[in-house]
Amino acid sequence: MHLDVAFLGFGNVNRALAQLLLRKASTLQTDYGITFNVVGIATHSRGRAINPAGLNLGDALERVTRGESLQPLGSGTEPPDTLEFITRCPADLFFEATPTNPRDGQPALSYVRTALGKGAHVVSANKGPVAFGYRELAALARERGVGFFFESTVLDGAPALGIGREGLPAAHIRRIRGVFNSTTNYILTRMEADGLDLEAAICEAQAIGIAETDPTLDVDGWDSAIKTVIMANVLMGADLRPSDVEPVGVGEITLERVRQAQADGKRIRLICLAERDQGAVRVSVRPELVSLDDPLASVSGTSSLIEYETDTLHRLTVIEHDPGPDTTAYGLLADMVNLARGRHLAA
Ligand SMILES: NC(=O)c1ccc[n+]([C@@H]2O[C@H](COP(=O)([O-])OP(=O)(O)OC[C@H]3O[C@@H](n4cnc5c(N)ncnc54)[C@H](OP(=O)(O)O)[C@@H]3O)[C@@H](O)[C@H]2O)c1
């Protein structure tokens, strides 16, 4: 399969994907019959370039490193905005990795809708469009006969969604439980291991670049809530929105509570839960005490964990160690391969 691809956003994730695509080009061709050509890149402040003949990915990466605009790599006039870019760009596949908007998923929701609507495949790392528009977007993709893949939205590149969708045929998922947010897990771990108070632990997370300048999306539990809703909607047939979760984050956790938990032989973890309950799916995000023999207690630092409880395999646990843009990029690459395998046609 040959794919003309374009990048929406060229930040940490899509640049890591660009490097991975260059590194894996021969594997993709030899093992999966996939060849690709990059026909466009859109950013917010570094320009937009469309080139139907193909633009050089190495040049694009170097330009961004030097702080230069991507626009000279394009042929023809520069599209004035991202929607116009999507409309004009002759890509078969858009890699969408623009920022997540936790309030309504926009403008990325419109980007994905526009790309699918014109009959292009979309592979996204952005939680917003999935959390706020999964049913609509999946139906649109089916109607147009294209793929809408988003493995990297939960647990970065680990196949958290893929296990549920592909790896558990005929199983009934009763419950999904996990630690989905790296930043809060890192904060709790530093409080436990080094006796830092909450504020100092947040500063440490910012210093190593895993927490935003405004860390409230993570600390207040919204990032976890969005991921929990994605799991519930995609794997358990729910139709929830992040506001249905009413998350409780780690903002009220004190060093005293962390120490008391340790004295009681327990740990505090920010637990995401989606559970079947009398025909509905109940979701929650809140700090909980977990005993040391619970796998959830063993996830430390930036690692994440997901546990599926099913009627066939009982409990199945996956841990992703030390995720980052590179592992997220792998999720996008894996989605591209699954697209070429025609997985969307079976959905
Ligand atoms: N970082 C991770 O490991 C990770 C893990 C899982 C999921 N994700 C998700 O992946 C997405 C990207 O993350 P990231 O770390 O790569 O973010 P990032 O480094 O901030 O990059 C975002 C990119 O999007 C561009 N952009 C912003 N608004 C845009 C618009 N309206 N149209 C076109 N491009 C636009 C930015 O342009 P400029 O270059 O001009 O600023 C930048 O290139 C986010 O939704 C994030 O939640 C990230």
Side-chain angles (χ1 to χ4, degrees), residues 7-15 42-48 64 70 81-83 96-101 107-108 111 124-129 152-157 212 217 223 227 323-329 332:
F7 296 85
L8 300 178
F10 208 52
N12 294 315
V13 169
N14 263 349
R15 290 205 306 273
T43 69
H44 175 63
S45 61
R46 299 165 206 241
R48 296 166 204 96
V64 170
L70 295 168
D81 57 38
T82 306
L83 272 180
E96 204 282 304
T98 65
T100 294
N101 178 339
Y111 298 161
S124 181
N126 188 337
K127 298 169 275 289
S152 297
T153 56
V154 183
L155 254 64
D156 309 285
E212 302 290 330
L217 188 62
D223 178 77
K227 290 170 176 168
D326 289 355
T327 61
T328 306
L332 296 170

Side-chain angles (χ1 to χ4, degrees), residues 273-303:
L273 175 76
E275 185 171 40
R276 293 193 194 279
D277 184 16
Q278 299 179 5
V281 177
R282 188 169 60 84
V283 283
S284 65
V285 169
R286 58 178 176 238
E288 286 180 28
L289 286 171
V290 289
S291 50
L292 295 183
D293 59 359
D294 188 323
L296 286 159
S298 70
V299 241
S300 58
T302 57
S303 299

Side-chain angles (χ1 to χ4, degrees), residues 143-161:
E143 183 193 311
R144 298 297 155 113
V146 293
F148 173 42
F149 291 81
F150 41 83
E151 186 59 76
S152 297
T153 56
V154 183
L155 254 64
D156 309 285
L161 288 155

Side-chain angles (χ1 to χ4, degrees), residues 118-297:
K118 69 176 243 183
H121 307 288
V122 174
V123 164
S124 181
N126 188 337
K127 298 169 275 289
V130 191
F132 289 93
Y134 167 64
R135 283 197 178 196
E136 175 215 329
L137 297 171
L140 179 59
R142 265 195 304 278
E143 183 193 311
R144 298 297 155 113
V146 293
F148 173 42
F149 291 81
F150 41 83
E151 186 59 76
S152 297
T153 56
V154 183
L155 254 64
D156 309 285
L161 288 155
I163 285 175
R165 288 176 129 178
E166 301 256 348
L168 298 170
H172 179 70
I173 299 177
R174 292 183 179 132
R175 188 167 88 146
I176 291 172
R177 201 168 70 117
V179 169
F180 295 167
N181 181 266
S182 297
T183 306
T184 44
N185 205 55
Y186 177 83
I187 289 168
L188 291 172
T189 307
R190 290 302 306 269
M191 292 174 80
E192 269 163 23
D194 301 311
L196 300 181
D197 65 18
L198 181 72
E199 209 170 307
I202 292 173
C203 288
E204 290 280 315
Q206 286 167 327
I208 64 161
I210 60 162
E212 302 290 330
T213 316
D214 173 6
T216 49
L217 188 62
D218 294 319
V219 171
D220 292 350
W222 283 104
D223 178 77
S224 295
I226 289 170
K227 290 170 176 168
T228 306
V229 161
I230 291 174
M231 297 307 287
N233 288 356
V234 176
L235 297 185
M236 300 172 84
D239 189 17
L240 299 164
R241 298 292 171 272
S243 55
D244 295 319
V245 181
E246 298 180 13
V248 181
V250 300
E252 302 296 315
I253 301 291
T254 59
L255 188 53
E256 286 65 41
R257 275 176 70 185
V258 170
R259 287 196 168 132
Q260 186 59 53
Q262 285 177 306
D264 295 342
K266 298 194 170 173
R267 288 187 178 142
I268 299 174
R269 290 289 175 267
L270 186 62
I271 305 296
C272 304
L273 175 76
E275 185 171 40
R276 293 193 194 279
D277 184 16
Q278 299 179 5
V281 177
R282 188 169 60 84
V283 283
S284 65
V285 169
R286 58 178 176 238
E288 286 180 28
L289 286 171
V290 289
S291 50
L292 295 183
D293 59 359
D294 188 323
L296 286 159

Side-chain angles (χ1 to χ4, degrees), residues 106 108-118 122 129 133 136-137 140:
Q106 290 290 15
L109 182 54
S110 300
Y111 298 161
V112 175
R113 189 185 285 134
T114 304
L116 295 173
K118 69 176 243 183
V122 174
E136 175 215 329
L137 297 171
L140 179 59

